Amino acid sequence: MRQSLLAALLLSASALIALPAAAADLRIGLQEDPDVLDPDQSRTFVGRIVYASLCDKLVDITPDLEIVPMLATAWSWSEDGTVLTMDLRDGVTFHDGTAFDAEAVKVNIERSKGLPESRRKSEVQSIESVEVTGPMQVKITLAQPDATLLAQLADRAGMMVSPTAASAAGADFGSNPVCSGPFAFKERVQQDRIVLTRFADYWNADAIHFDSVTFLPIPDTTVRLANLRSGDLDMLERLAATDAASVKEDTGLVYADAVSLGYQGITINVDNGERGNNPFGNDPRLRQAFELTLDRDAINQVVFEGVFAPGNQPFPPTSPWYDKETPIPARDIAKAKELMKEAGHETFELEVQVANNPVQTQLMQVVQSMAAEAGFVVKLKSMEFASLLADQTAGNYQASQVGWSGRTDPDGNIHQFMTCKGGINDSKYCNPEVDALLDKARTSNDIATRKASYDAARKILAKDLPIIYLYHQTWIWALDGKVEGFVPYPDGMIRLQNVKFKS
Amino acid sequence: MLTFIARRLLIAIPTLLLVSVFVFTLQKLLPGDPALVLAGEERDPEVLAFIREKYRLNDPIFYQYAYWLGGLVQGDLGVSLRTNQPVLQLILDKLPVTIQLAVMAMIIAMVIGIPAGILSAVKKGSPVDYIANFVALSGLSIPNFWLGIMLILLVSVELGWLPASGYASPFEDPARSFQTMIMPAFVLGTALAATLMRHTRSAMLGVLKADYVRTARAKGLGERVVILKHAFRNALLPIVTLGALLFGELLAGAVLTEQIFTIPGFGKLIVDAVFTRDYAVVQGVVLCTAAGFILMNLIADVLYFLLNPRMRATL
């Protein structure tokens, strides 16, 4: 008896001594379960949050969206903007020990372009060939100038996977991803957890202060927050706007936010099949009148507790690409009525489809009551998202409340929606003038030229209104008070460099 | 007895086939295109075409069904459109989780529901009866998700006794597995306990009026023996049927409870599958659930034989 007591004492004593050196595990609550963990095949926002710890990219962004070195240390463009030469970081290895070099970059870009399952094809479309010009230098040749390419390489298209692992696993790479990021893949239980462990040979190891990271998908926002409060989580992403105030008041928690790169708005069927042929799709005056009924600030206050950012453009007002000359119009019911009269309508009946979740429904109910004051009878068609998407693509809708998660380069937020042949142009809006301006902005590497083109296009689009933008979501993180060093980024990612537990 | 079981199992085959035809057709009637969901935000036409080709979404529905059935006969349920994992693997991963939850919930339900039912039948009209009825009604009317969130806030956030959500396998970490499962099992169990209690009560009331109970009492048997040995054993039959069906329902997925407590079980699997139009997974899970129901029914029937000597005589 005495012996066992002694043993127990010793055990607990050694446990106490071991405590300070105990493995530092960071537990992060995610809103969804990520899809397949292959940067070339994945398609969800939440998957990218995991990649931020798992897979390093050729370049990264700053919170102000400037492109900065990561695995590429320097780069330069040829005079005509069709050749990008990149110098690569020395001494980087993948989690499986394979060395990172120019050959690996070539394999990776060719995989993004050539893997049948690749979802990156459109992002690296402009790349014609990759040439290894030195052990640590690649020359990327483009079919035509592409100002968006660097921003693409700052995301999934620029994530470098181990060529050895990729060729061994093929399309099944996602079940055991091997990259070169600060943490290596350990295990995944579908819909339960993803565990990464510290990669000892990480090139920037000094900036990493955790032994492991565990991602836990917890879809319910209330439960996610409860887990943080009970200490089961160290941080969570996408806190509900309605919980922002209570987290700010809680002295044990830390609140962080950043206006996202994406937007939410109402896409209008302008010319997508027969249903686009209606007064709302045909007469921009009706759409302008509709926009004038909206008080975007009030919407933000009522539905989102003032946490999100009201907006009228594909870029948030905080973005350097925001056109200050077409600011958010003030609400003006008299003018809205006047425009409706000009278009020949006292009242107008409009059907808007909306995803059947409480937040979007509440949003549209506020819009509905605002528009009613000018004579718009808005009928809300609540739909499950997959059906909504199918109807919208097929043109079987009059107006649709949807959004876009946002891209680092402005092109990603506007070109594919507003050009005649744009891949996601569900309005089927087509204006050659806008096409020319947006194409020009895409091919120039000069920021001033690009900004001028976007501004010019915005002036036209603000009148034509194929999409009525409503607001920009704000990414909100809640962290345990013991976590320090976290920097919010507008892309919503969680970068763990220099994040640590307070000692 | 064995022939009875064999016959029942044989009848199950056409039933399952019918179920599979039904689910397959219903799924195709659902609006929404899996390729659009799977292609990602950009909906690259090349990717769309690839997905449609790979998962045979362009083939006529009859071929799709025949293809699926062909795989099924060979024990292949297809692969998930969303994660590329074999459906059988997914089901085998999730089923133990849900079975564990269902068993724990059932135990809680029986421990609370049956004694409460007997007690309130025996003491009909007394305060005990009213209190039991009130509690049972509350159990039935309180929504699972509300009770779940309240329990999390109270037990995990305020008191810090149990983890708020999550899951651990009982084989890896039995203690943590129990800690994470007990709250959801309690939430599910209380709702079931209410149903069980009501049924036990009415079955007992019926039996307590029967002649043989009066005879038993007249023989001078103790009240405890009369109630437990004579009355309850006869009242048990409908309760067993109900219990088996409730258990089958639990296996079909306690969707809301699993969602709230983030338990990676059957319910979460099928909900996610329906929303992403993951046909193969929906199909596999429904088939599995149907098979589960048939099995539970069979077990209930077998239990009848064991519990009721008269039925044994008919064989």
Side-chain angles (χ1 to χ4, degrees):
Chain A
M1 180 65 204
R2 189 177 290 169
Q3 265 177 348
S4 62
L5 196 71
L6 199 69
L9 267 173
L10 270 173
L11 255 173
S12 50
S14 60
L16 273 177
I17 296 163
L19 210 59
D25 179 38
L26 185 74
R27 294 166 66 85
I28 303 178
L30 304 175
Q31 181 161 298
E32 297 120 17
D33 190 32
D35 57 336
V36 56
L37 286 179
D38 175 346
D40 280 330
Q41 292 185 56
S42 89
R43 58 192 163 76
T44 55
F45 166 80
V46 72
R48 290 163 57 208
I49 297 182
V50 176
Y51 293 139
S53 296
L54 182 67
C55 298
D56 269 10
K57 307 164 290 188
L58 285 174
V59 288
D60 200 6
I61 55 167
T62 64
D64 303 321
L65 304 184
E66 273 170 58
I67 307 274
V68 290
M70 201 166 197
L71 291 179
T73 48
W75 54 88
S76 60
W77 285 100
S78 68
E79 196 65 29
D80 63 351
T82 58
V83 180
L84 174 66
T85 310
M86 287 188 139
D87 292 320
L88 307 172
R89 190 174 294 279
D90 234 332
V92 174
T93 50
F94 292 102
H95 301 147
D96 61 356
T98 309
F100 168 75
D101 57 12
E103 200 59 51
V105 175
K106 183 178 157 79
V107 170
N108 264 281
I109 292 179
E110 281 168 0
R111 186 172 191 264
S112 299
K113 279 184 82 70
L115 189 75
E117 286 85 359
S118 171
R119 308 279 202 272
R120 305 279 83 80
K121 285 176 185 164
S122 62
E123 296 163 22
V124 289
Q125 203 171 22
S126 60
I127 298 180
E128 206 166 61
S129 65
V130 184
E131 203 184 320
V132 176
T133 48
M136 285 293 153
Q137 194 188 58
V138 286
K139 211 167 92 180
I140 300 173
T141 309
L142 312 184
Q144 71 277 334
D146 180 4
T148 73
L149 185 65
L150 272 177
Q152 302 289 16
L153 297 180
D155 206 327
R156 284 174 294 201
M159 285 176 192
M160 296 289 119
V161 304
S162 159
T164 327
S167 77
D172 195 31
F173 179 80
S175 54
N176 185 19
V178 184
C179 293
S180 70
F183 296 91
F185 180 79
K186 184 174 169 225
E187 61 164 340
R188 171 176 197 178
V189 180
Q190 290 283 342
Q191 291 163 320
D192 184 33
R193 63 178 186 270
I194 294 172
V195 184
L196 312 180
T197 48
R198 187 191 173 102
F199 175 44
D201 296 328
Y202 185 52
W203 61 270
N204 193 12
D206 290 347
I208 303 302
H209 304 283
F210 298 108
D211 297 305
S212 58
V213 195
T214 307
F215 294 94
L216 300 141
I218 304 176
D220 191 284
T221 50
T222 316
V223 177
R224 204 154 64 245
L225 182 56
N227 270 285
L228 180 71
R229 289 211 156 114
S230 69
D232 291 310
L233 288 178
D234 299 310
M235 72 179 292
L236 60 85
E237 54 108 15
R238 276 180 283 175
L239 182 77
T242 40
D243 286 329
S246 93
V247 168
K248 282 179 190 166
E249 276 168 21
D250 193 327
T251 47
L253 301 178
V254 176
Y255 172 97
D257 71 9
V259 176
S260 77
L261 302 168
Y263 63 76
Q264 288 286 328
I266 302 173
T267 296
I268 292 140
N269 187 345
V270 170
D271 195 18
N272 191 349
E274 267 172 44
R275 288 201 65 188
N277 188 14
N278 73 81
F280 202 68
N282 293 339
D283 194 336
R285 285 173 299 186
L286 277 178
R287 304 197 286 272
Q288 289 161 15
F290 191 87
E291 187 182 34
L292 283 170
T293 66
L294 303 176
D295 181 342
R296 290 172 166 96
D297 266 323
I299 294 174
N300 187 32
Q301 292 303 333
V302 171
V303 190
F304 307 112
E305 315 261 325
V307 174
F308 288 179
N312 66 327
Q313 299 183 22
F315 326 118
T318 44
S319 161
W321 301 99
Y322 185 83
D323 177 22
K324 293 198 171 61
E325 288 157 33
T326 51
I328 300 173
R331 185 169 201 236
D332 192 339
I333 295 293
K335 201 169 161 202
K337 281 186 172 162
E338 205 176 292
L339 278 166
M340 282 179 80
K341 204 169 250 172
E342 267 179 47
H345 296 275
E346 275 298 327
T347 61
F348 186 80
E349 210 170 278
L350 176 70
E351 184 189 81
V352 187
Q353 54 179 29
V354 56
N356 59 353
N357 71 60
V359 176
Q360 301 317 108
T361 307
Q362 201 193 347
L363 163 78
M364 283 315 295
Q365 283 164 348
V366 175
V367 168
Q368 181 182 41
S369 67
M370 285 178 170
E373 282 182 49
F376 283 100
V377 183
V378 178
K379 283 203 277 178
L380 298 182
K381 188 180 179 193
S382 185
M383 297 174 85
E384 179 259 342
F385 189 71
S387 319
L388 179 143
L389 192 62
D391 271 3
Q392 191 185 306
T393 333
N396 184 21
Y397 75 105
Q398 194 175 13
S400 182
Q401 196 286 303
V402 284
W404 177 244
S405 70
R407 296 291 178 267
T408 305
D409 193 89
D411 180 85
N413 277 15
I414 186 167
H415 192 278
Q416 41 200 348
F417 300 92
M418 295 297 165
T419 48
C420 299
K421 292 199 169 136
I424 350 178
N425 181 356
D426 290 333
S427 307
K428 292 281 177 275
Y429 172 77
C430 183
N431 181 340
E433 210 179 329
V434 171
D435 268 28
L437 286 165
L438 294 181
D439 282 343
K440 188 177 166 200
R442 170 179 258 202
T443 46
S444 166
N445 276 328
D446 177 52
I447 290 178
T449 317
R450 295 190 76 190
K451 174 90 170 97
S453 306
Y454 286 129
D455 285 357
R458 281 300 317 150
K459 306 260 178 327
I460 302 169
L461 292 169
K463 290 204 176 69
D464 287 354
L465 290 173
I467 295 179
I468 297 175
Y469 303 94
L470 296 174
Y471 68 93
H472 306 274
Q473 190 185 337
T474 295
W475 304 123
I476 313 175
W477 296 269
L479 301 93
D480 193 292
K482 68 172 188 259
V483 181
E484 64 180 2
F486 174 72
V487 181
Y489 275 67
D491 62 359
M493 297 299 111
I494 298 171
R495 290 166 173 81
L496 291 181
Q497 280 82 355
N498 300 318
V499 180
K500 58 184 168 203
F501 291 137
K502 276 180 200 157
S503 46
Chain B
M1 181 75 175
L2 280 177
T3 41
F4 168 77
I5 295 177
R7 204 168 54 222
R8 286 290 297 270
L9 283 177
L10 274 178
I11 298 174
I13 294 175
T15 314
L16 284 178
L17 219 72
L18 213 66
V19 168
S20 77
V21 173
F22 226 68
V23 180
F24 209 85
T25 350
L26 278 180
Q27 274 200 98
K28 301 290 165 173
L29 285 178
L30 263 185
D33 178 352
L36 271 181
V37 181
L38 292 169
E41 263 194 330
E42 248 110 10
R43 296 167 2 215
D44 188 343
E46 224 181 303
V47 175
L48 284 174
F50 173 78
I51 294 172
R52 291 198 175 112
E53 179 72 25
K54 183 169 174 193
Y55 297 108
R56 301 167 191 273
L57 298 172
N58 288 328
D59 292 355
I61 174 166
F62 177 73
Y63 286 110
Q64 290 186 37
Y65 181 71
Y67 183 78
W68 178 80
L69 200 63
L72 181 71
V73 175
Q74 301 164 36
D76 176 12
L77 285 172
V79 292
S80 156
L81 274 64
R82 196 170 70 96
T83 61
N84 266 336
Q85 277 182 305
V87 173
L88 191 64
Q89 184 63 46
L90 280 173
I91 290 177
L92 291 179
D93 281 353
K94 310 289 173 189
L95 199 57
V97 180
T98 301
I99 289 181
Q100 187 192 350
L101 181 64
V103 169
M104 284 176 72
M106 211 58 210
I107 292 174
I108 292 176
M110 289 196 298
V111 167
I112 301 176
I114 295 179
I118 297 176
L119 209 64
S120 80
V122 173
K123 311 246 165 176
K124 188 178 169 228
S126 74
V128 177
D129 183 24
Y130 289 124
I131 292 171
N133 269 301
F134 176 77
V135 174
L137 265 179
S138 324
L140 277 178
S141 350
I142 292 175
N144 273 349
F145 63 89
W146 184 84
L147 184 62
I149 289 182
M150 287 304 132
L151 273 182
I152 289 177
L153 290 181
L154 177 71
V155 179
S156 304
V157 180
E158 285 301 320
L159 302 171
W161 288 348
L162 291 171
S165 64
Y167 172 73
S169 160
F171 303 108
E172 283 170 17
D173 189 346
R176 187 163 171 87
S177 176
F178 184 76
Q179 286 170 357
T180 51
M181 279 300 205
I182 189 73
M183 261 203 291
F186 180 77
V187 168
L188 280 173
T190 48
L192 295 183
T195 317
L196 269 182
M197 180 261 161
R198 296 289 306 169
H199 278 81
T200 310
R201 181 177 182 271
S202 55
M204 279 298 280
L205 282 178
V207 172
L208 283 173
K209 283 190 201 120
D211 289 344
Y212 63 84
V213 171
R214 196 186 47 196
T215 311
R217 283 199 178 119
K219 279 197 299 185
L221 292 176
E223 191 65 12
R224 174 188 281 266
V225 178
V226 172
I227 288 166
L228 290 183
K229 270 199 111 168
H230 291 256
F232 179 61
R233 276 191 83 162
N234 282 289
L236 204 56
L237 287 183
I239 301 170
V240 167
T241 322
L242 180 78
L245 287 181
L246 286 178
F247 191 77
E249 235 169 77
L250 279 177
L251 288 188
V255 176
L256 278 176
T257 312
E258 287 188 0
Q259 193 82 12
I260 294 291
F261 289 97
T262 330
I263 296 165
F266 244 42
K268 257 186 85 58
L269 183 65
I270 193 159
V271 168
D272 287 355
V274 169
F275 282 137
T276 48
R277 301 289 185 270
D278 199 337
Y279 292 154
V281 173
V282 175
Q283 188 82 350
V285 172
V286 171
L287 198 69
C288 214
T289 312
F293 259 101
I294 292 174
L295 196 71
M296 289 319 295
N297 252 318
L298 185 62
I299 290 177
D301 287 346
V302 172
L303 281 178
Y304 275 13
F305 279 102
L306 298 180
L307 291 170
N308 191 339
R310 262 173 304 172
M311 288 182 85
R312 253 178 277 167
T314 60
L315 259 187

